[in-house]
Amino acid sequence: MKVAIDEKRPELANRRGVVFQHDHARPHVFIQSRQKLLQLGWDVLPHPPYSPDLVPSDFHLFRFLQNFLNGKKFDSMEACKDYVDQFIVQKDAIFWKNGIHKLPYRWQKVIEQSGKYIVE
């Protein structure tokens, strides 16, 4: 079975080495980043201007954080910050790794759906 990434982005299908994905940063940051990426010899994977389906913090972290905060009320901003810090500290390496490992699947879904949002 041929996957969408093979058909629509064949240059990535058998690529070895680093392919860097980033969002559209502010121009002054982008130029510095681009220079560094060129220096490292990394390929840059184009990224839509705003695509929460392809940003691990949006599709992975914030979903879990929202559930963690659901129904909670805080007496102060400090109490809220402490609670969020507790959430982050409780997450092991596997949690963060899983968010990153979902990227190829999510890229494929976005390609298959012609850029439309992923509905889960």
Side-chain angles (χ1 to χ4, degrees):
M1 180 177 120
K2 197 158 180 93
V3 294
I5 197 105
D6 291 339
E7 294 173 3
K8 299 192 178 184
R9 299 298 302 273
E11 70 277 11
L12 297 176
N14 296 311
R15 173 81 171 96
R16 297 214 184 272
V18 176
V19 178
F20 184 77
Q21 175 200 343
H22 66 93
D23 61 5
H24 293 281
R26 296 180 312 262
H28 69 281
V29 174
F30 175 74
I31 289 173
Q32 294 169 344
S33 299
R34 185 173 178 190
Q35 289 171 344
K36 187 62 173 179
L37 293 169
L38 287 170
Q39 178 186 12
L40 293 170
W42 292 4
D43 289 331
V44 177
L45 187 62
H47 189 280
Y50 178 72
S51 183
D53 292 327
L54 301 176
V55 181
S57 58
D58 286 350
F59 71 74
H60 185 68
L61 172 63
F62 294 154
R63 181 177 298 162
F64 286 96
L65 182 57
Q66 180 179 6
N67 290 334
F68 186 73
L69 293 170
N70 193 25
K72 303 292 185 277
K73 295 187 183 202
F74 302 99
D75 296 328
S76 67
M77 182 61 80
E78 192 62 36
C80 179
K81 287 179 183 178
D82 289 344
Y83 200 73
V84 170
D85 286 345
Q86 178 186 356
F87 167 83
I88 291 170
V89 169
Q90 288 177 352
K91 298 300 173 202
D92 61 10
I94 298 297
F95 173 81
W96 305 106
K97 187 176 180 178
N98 286 342
I100 297 301
H101 283 215
K102 290 178 185 175
L103 278 171
Y105 163 79
R106 296 187 74 84
W107 261 103
Q108 182 172 339
K109 292 294 280 183
V110 168
I111 290 169
E112 288 171 354
Q113 296 178 181
S114 301
K116 295 177 186 160
Y117 288 126
I118 298 172
V119 178
E120 293 179 312

